[in-house]
Amino acid sequence: MTLQDALATQPAWVQVWVFWLVIGAFVLPLGLLIWRRTRIAGIATIAASVVAGMSVDWIFGQLGYVRLLGLPHIVFWSPVAIYLFLLQRDPGVPARAALLIRVILITITISLAFDVTDVLRYALGDRAPY
């Protein structure tokens, strides 16, 4: 079974969320490459998302579909979320870029809330597959 197969067994809202997560963490950050002031944020977000995705796939290959899959998101997206939060408040960032950053930041933050909960549950002994 692949990770995509495992995700297909989840409720519809989880599948919709994962679809949005791909948009919010991989596609929307490409828009940040438009403005000089936000290019580093775009590159950092895309890089963190790619590395987190590869890490999730690796953990899935080792352990299966378990709550620990959120750990790479916590490790790689937390610093990006802090950076994006600070950047969107910078008055030198164009308004459209700031709006895009906020959408990306909200997406990542919601994911991190799920991920922290899942990883804590895993650490407290909930090791059953989803």
Side-chain angles (χ1 to χ4, degrees):
M1 176 183 294
T2 66
L3 181 56
Q4 290 74 24
D5 294 334
L7 287 170
T9 67
Q10 296 301 300
W13 74 267
V14 173
Q15 295 176 45
V16 170
W17 170 249
V18 171
F19 175 76
W20 174 254
L21 192 57
V22 170
I23 301 296
F26 288 92
V27 178
L28 293 182
L30 292 171
L32 297 176
L33 301 178
I34 295 170
W35 299 277
R36 177 170 288 156
R37 181 69 184 94
T38 60
R39 284 186 186 140
I40 291 173
I43 292 167
T45 304
I46 294 164
S49 295
V50 167
V51 173
M54 291 170 45
S55 300
V56 166
D57 195 55
W58 182 81
I59 292 172
F60 176 81
Q62 300 300 308
L63 302 175
Y65 196 54
V66 296
R67 296 188 183 283
L68 194 59
L69 294 178
L71 183 61
H73 294 145
I74 295 167
V75 170
F76 297 108
W77 279 347
S78 294
V80 169
I82 293 167
Y83 177 60
L84 292 174
F85 176 77
L86 296 172
L87 184 60
Q88 59 93 25
R89 298 175 66 195
D90 182 335
V93 171
R96 288 184 182 167
L99 177 61
L100 185 56
I101 289 169
R102 288 181 189 114
V103 172
I104 295 164
L105 182 58
I106 289 167
T107 301
I108 289 174
T109 301
I110 292 169
S111 180
L112 286 172
F114 288 126
D115 295 331
V116 167
T117 301
D118 281 347
V119 170
L120 285 174
R121 287 180 64 179
Y122 186 88
L124 293 172
D126 185 355
R127 306 267 163 83
Y130 284 105

